[in-house]
Amino acid sequence: MATVHEIEQRLFSWAPRESAMDWDNVGHLVGDPEQEVERILVALDITERVVQEAIDCGAQLIVSHHPVMNVRWHEREMQSLRPDTRLGGLLTMLVKNDISAICMHTNLDAADGGVNDCLAKKLGLHDIFSLNDEKIGRIGTLSCEKGLEEFLRDVIELLGCGGLRYCRGSGRVHRVAVGGGACGEYIPQAIAQGCDTFVTSDLRYNDFLDTRGLNLIDAGHFPTENVVCPAVRAYLEEHFPEVKTVISTSHRDVIQYYL
C-alpha cells in the first residue's frame, strides 16, 4: 500500500516543489509520512466539511490545491494551535482523526496539465501556451470568434459560476488569456501578448478602471481553479490504482451571489 510520502513525491514529479512561489507552502503539511493510504479525498480547499467527509468515507489523506496553512494567509493564527480558532480547530480535527494533508498550490498552477491548462481547455481554447515565464497563466484561441455576451454565458456554464464581474474591451473574443485564481497582476502581459480577453479572478476595482482594450472577466477564485480537481484524481488513479481516489462532494465556493 502507498504511503503519504510516496504520494507526495509522485505529485512533486508532476508539479515540482521548486516551481512554487517563494511565499507558498506546498507538499505534505499534516500527518505521518509513513501512513499507509487506502483512500484519498481530493478537494480545492480543506475545510471542516471536507475533513468530516474524509472521516465519513474513511480517507487517510486529503490532497488539496490550497494550503491548509500558509504564513501569507494565516500569520496570526499560526502563532498558536487552539481548537477554538478556525485554523487550530481544523488542524486539530485532522490530527485527531489521523488524516494527512498534501497541498499542491502555485506549483500546480504552473505545471503542465495543471490548473491553468485545465482552465484553458475547459473554456475551449486551442494552441495553448504560457502567459509568462513563471508559467502562471495560459493563452489560447477559440475555434471561432465570439461576441462578449455569448462568451460570458459560456464561462458561467462551463465553470459553474454563480455569477461574474466583467468590463468590456473590444467586445469580441478570440485570443484569450486565462489565470486560475488571483492573476490580476498579469493584465499587462495579456495585453502585450495581443489578447482581447482575460479570464481570471479576485480583480481589484482599479484593475477594471484602468484596463483599456481588453475584455476583463472575473469568474471567481473557486470556479477558475476547481477545474483541476478531476485532473488530480486522474493522475492519482493512474499512479496509485490500488488506492481509491474520490473528489469531494462537500467542497464548494464560499462566495455566494445575491442577484
Side-chain angles (χ1 to χ4, degrees), residues 122-143:
K122 191 73 172 178
L123 293 177
L125 303 184
H126 304 280
D127 303 319
I128 298 165
F129 60 96
S130 294
L131 173 61
N132 50 51
D133 292 340
E134 297 91 346
K135 298 185 70 177
I136 304 296
R138 298 291 187 269
I139 294 173
T141 55
L142 295 173
S143 56

Side-chain angles (χ1 to χ4, degrees), residues 161-202:
C161 304
L164 51 75
R165 301 183 301 154
Y166 75 98
C167 69
R168 179 182 296 272
S170 67
R172 305 302 299 173
V173 182
H174 187 227
R175 185 177 174 90
V176 181
V178 300
C183 291
E185 65 192 280
Y186 302 123
I187 290 172
Q189 296 179 20
I191 294 172
Q193 296 264 24
C195 297
D196 52 58
T197 305
F198 189 19
V199 181
T200 186
S201 76
D202 298 357

